[in-house]
Amino acid sequence: MKNQLLLALATVLVLSACTSEAPKAPLSEQNLEFEIYDSLVVDYLGNVTLMDISPDGKTFLLIDQNTDSLLLADGDGQLIQTYMLAGEGPENYPKSRLGVGKFLNNDQFLIPTMGGLFVYDLKGRLNKRLEPDFAPQINVLMPYSEAHFLIGNRVYLHFPGRMNEEDLADMNFNQNATLLEVLDLETGKFEGQVNLPKESRFAQKDESINVIDFFPNLTAREDSIFIAFRNEPKLFGYQVNQLNSTPKTWDIPLEGFIENTSWEGPKDGSIDLRRFFFGSINDLYALNSGEFLINYQAGLSDEVAAEVMSVAGSDFNKIFKLGGEKNKGGYILFDLQNSSPIIKKPEVLGSINKVISRDEIWFSLDFANVEQDYTVIYKTRIISR
């Protein structure tokens, strides 16, 4: 009997050892890649990207970047609706979109613009127009980024411009204005929230901050909003019910990231192209795993940037083409401590359109290198090799 008990115990220990997972390597040592495992194919010829998916997963909201036409498709890629809502017209939104449109529910979607937020039903009929009580001051538009997030009955969005007259007069609004607007969908009231965090290096300067360096990337998860400025490798986290409290702050290890420490631009007021080739955080996504998916570029040294300018001369297209070829970076994961190496990406993939989770990341086609006579949006997940 005693031997039988010992044998049973040994069997349990062996099974336990076999079924227990080996400890994972730190994120900084993992080799990750995007794996394509599904796609949405739509019989439509154009430069199309996915903006959002309805909460029930049945309806896809897309946009043709060439025409600003909106498309609705079902999960099989069948077109449900196509309409042009941008431009002139009593129910149209102005073309200056702040970001992509998103579903409010299964029957309505919201388009954020310089003129306010426009709510449409699936037939393209305007249900509501929500306008701020101030004139927005926006120098940089990112129409294909995520500019707003819905949490409960409130919309959180980057909508700068709420400032005092004295701030507008001396152009110090970058430091004194609020970074976010919170819109109550029931009352239609906008409220300015979140000042420049004191933990940011941008808060250490008295003069105005160049908007290219300062542009904030937003993301949200559950009851929290996260911000990362374009030229600062830090992450700031706020709970939505404590937006004006001191944020949690994390340093993001980004290999070779070059920060701009030259605060003064050209004296003649011309565009300082050098600013476009410092390190940049271009996209930020909060994953339900607790990690963050970040798209960044490390930037160019002064010597390499000068070489690019010298070779390209005054040809803007050539400057950005050469600079882009030399500017290294890509997508990485950040777990609040470590960053992964660059995640490998199949050549057919373009840019991320929509992130649902680590196991559902939607990419557009790489239009620069692949031509199709139909629209395809790739569904991917992050795997470890």
Side-chain angles (χ1 to χ4, degrees), residues 117-149:
L117 281 74
F118 291 70
V119 180
Y120 293 93
D121 65 20
L122 300 189
K123 297 291 185 181
R125 295 174 296 210
L126 181 65
N127 290 173
K128 188 182 296 186
R129 176 173 178 167
L130 302 158
E131 298 177 284
D133 55 355
F134 62 92
Q137 301 288 327
I138 300 176
N139 295 316
V140 177
L141 290 176
M142 300 289 188
Y144 298 101
S145 66
E146 289 190 286
H148 74 278
F149 296 87

Side-chain angles (χ1 to χ4, degrees), residues 210-241:
N210 187 280
V211 69
I212 297 173
D213 299 332
F214 180 71
F215 188 85
N217 296 277
L218 306 181
T219 190
R221 181 170 57 225
E222 297 177 348
D223 62 348
S224 296
I225 295 287
F226 300 90
I227 299 175
F229 299 112
R230 186 178 187 273
N231 186 236
E232 183 174 32
K234 285 183 180 288
L235 180 67
F236 303 94
Y238 301 82
Q239 287 193 321
V240 293
N241 60 350

